[in-house]
Amino acid sequence: MGDGLQIRGREIKYSIRNQLALIFIGMTLLSVAVIAVVNGFFLEEYYISKKIIVLKEAYSSLDSFDVELDQAAAGEMVNVPVPSELKKSSWENNLTWIITNQQGRALIYNVQERDVDRMEASLFGYQTGIDEERKEVLRQTDHYVIQKSLDRTSSMRYLELWGEFSNGNSCMIRSPLESIRESASISNMFYIYVGIVIIIVSGIIIWLITNHLTKPISELTAISQRMAALDFHTKYRSRHSNEVDLLGENFNRMSEQLERTILKLQTANKQLEQDIAEKVKIDEMRKEFLNNVSHELKTPIALIQGYAEGLKDNIMDDVESREFYCEVIMDESSKMNIMVKKLLTLNKLEFGYDELLMERFDIIALIKGMLQNSEILIQQREAQIQFDENQAPVYVRADEFKIEEVVTNFFTNALNHLDYERIVAVNVYRQGGKARVTVFNTGNPIPEDALEHVWEKFYKVDKAHTREYGGSGIGLSIVKAIMESHHESCGVENCENGVMFWFELPLEE
């Protein structure tokens, strides 16, 4: 978790990394401070306690050395060498000492000559109790006394041990307290300097370590934020061989599981939306279909009903009139039958119930046959047909029966909308691996706003004209459904003096 992160809009002020670093640095600083305080108050006492031990050991050494002085005459110096160990110990521990006989005269010492009399006087004063006010007793036994004292001559404080040996001689061992205090002060200052360095170095090390330790947590935080935004591509990759790695692996598994679950939900939701849209579309189509069928059937049913009632009531007595009534009834019934058949065909195509029979055939031959079958209709419309019957065969792959229906619908539509020169031109072109079939007729153009609607069921540009030739507005819808079932294109274009419909099929050489 790094600085600058937010939780629900609230910025995180204290990251784990900073908190850990501050805790460890604070503990280090506290430890150094506590030790410095302890040293300041107790280091001198500790040194004194250690120095007391040194004084005791020096007393024992001098007691042993004093045995060699037993043969000495009272008040006379005996030339007995001081043991090297005693000299070394006295030098290392800054000890000065003196041994006196029972008369208080110095027998041997390790101080300068000018200090001998002062030490003799001090020892005599301690033994007689004259200098009682200048000392602070720390330890006392039957043989010696350990004390702190003030030397009036030098105004220095000493840690001293004085007492008697078993042979009656006396001794005094002293060490200046100023040296102890100076050593304690130097030690404290050194420790403070070292402590500052330790705090700085340990702070840097702790910061690096906490940054290393919290890096995977920061990574997990970033991953969780990406997951909250439904981005599951980022994975945990750090490897520290600890519990955080296990948490990261769980995050990865959770991310994958959430991604799969959300993907399934999205797929199911999309499918549901499609199903709902399809249902709405089907409902709209059903309503539109019922409205259109009702509208289309209303006129022929009314005509059939009216003329049938006329026949029943013998409105016309002559045979010619009755035959006319019967022809009207038959004609309207035929139109209704054709419309119902077209609706059934369109229904099969739109819902995929009518399977395609794909085969290779010559589209030129198909057009020739269609024109021959339409000869009577061509003559009735007084149409001029333009088609090159001598052109080479053009082979395509499709359902020949359904493509014949497409060509027939286009051609019949052209005949029904002829005008001006009354020309119907049928052409076949090769382009880009496709065969494009066009059917053009001279006449009025289709309004631009109606071009995209001509393929809709029951749509009629000119309803009066459509009713005149018996059209139902279903033929072009069937054409569109057939081409979509072939996954091919069809269209309509306004030309300079007419309208052209076209469709394409894949060439099959």
Side-chain angles (χ1 to χ4, degrees), residues 43-57:
L43 185 60
E44 181 178 343
E45 297 299 324
Y46 177 76
Y47 278 1
I48 289 174
S49 65
K50 292 297 182 182
K51 187 67 73 172
I52 288 174
I53 296 174
V54 172
L55 291 176
K56 291 179 180 179
E57 291 175 351

Side-chain angles (χ1 to χ4, degrees), residues 51 54-55 86-97 110 156 158-159 173-180 182-183:
K51 187 67 73 172
V54 172
L55 291 176
L86 183 58
K87 287 182 178 180
K88 180 179 179 183
S89 175
S90 299
W91 179 78
E92 289 177 349
N93 294 288
N94 195 19
L95 300 178
T96 56
W97 49 266
N110 71 338
M156 292 182 60
Y158 289 92
L159 179 66
I173 310 168
R174 61 167 42 171
S175 177
L177 284 175
E178 292 301 326
S179 63
I180 295 176
E182 183 179 1
S183 298

Side-chain angles (χ1 to χ4, degrees), residues 62 96-100 104-111 115-121 123 161 163 165 170-174:
L62 289 175
T96 56
W97 49 266
I98 186 173
I99 298 177
T100 62
R105 301 296 299 169
L107 298 176
I108 193 167
Y109 47 85
N110 71 338
V111 296
D115 295 327
V116 173
D117 292 339
R118 190 166 65 247
M119 289 189 68
E120 286 180 350
L123 179 57
L161 182 149
F165 297 136
S170 301
C171 75
M172 186 173 68
I173 310 168
R174 61 167 42 171

Side-chain angles (χ1 to χ4, degrees), residues 344-370:
L344 292 174
T345 300
L346 182 60
N347 184 69
K348 289 181 180 180
L349 290 169
E350 287 182 337
F351 289 94
Y353 299 147
D354 196 4
E355 295 183 0
L356 299 178
L357 180 60
M358 304 297 286
E359 56 185 335
R360 178 178 179 269
F361 63 92
D362 180 11
I363 190 68
I364 302 298
L366 184 146
I367 295 173
K368 287 181 182 179
M370 183 273 300

Side-chain angles (χ1 to χ4, degrees), residues 342 363 366-367 370-371 374 377 385 402-418 423-427 435-442 446 454-455 469 474-483 488-493 499-505:
K342 287 183 176 181
I363 190 68
L366 184 146
I367 295 173
M370 183 273 300
L371 292 175
S374 304
L377 187 60
I385 307 301
K402 289 183 172 58
I403 296 304
E404 183 179 4
E405 188 171 0
V406 171
V407 176
T408 301
N409 270 294
F410 276 177
F411 185 74
T412 304
N413 187 72
L415 290 177
N416 291 330
H417 292 84
L418 272 177
I423 296 173
V424 176
V426 182
N427 294 292
R436 172 173 280 210
V437 180
T438 64
V439 179
F440 167 82
N441 68 277
T442 58
I446 300 174
V454 297
W455 310 103
Y469 65 79
I474 302 175
L476 293 179
S477 299
I478 293 176
V479 169
K480 186 70 171 179
I482 290 174
M483 297 313 300
E488 298 295 338
S489 301
C490 63
V492 59
E493 300 173 6
V499 179
M500 182 182 70
F501 284 84
W502 59 268
F503 68 92
E504 292 180 342
L505 291 173

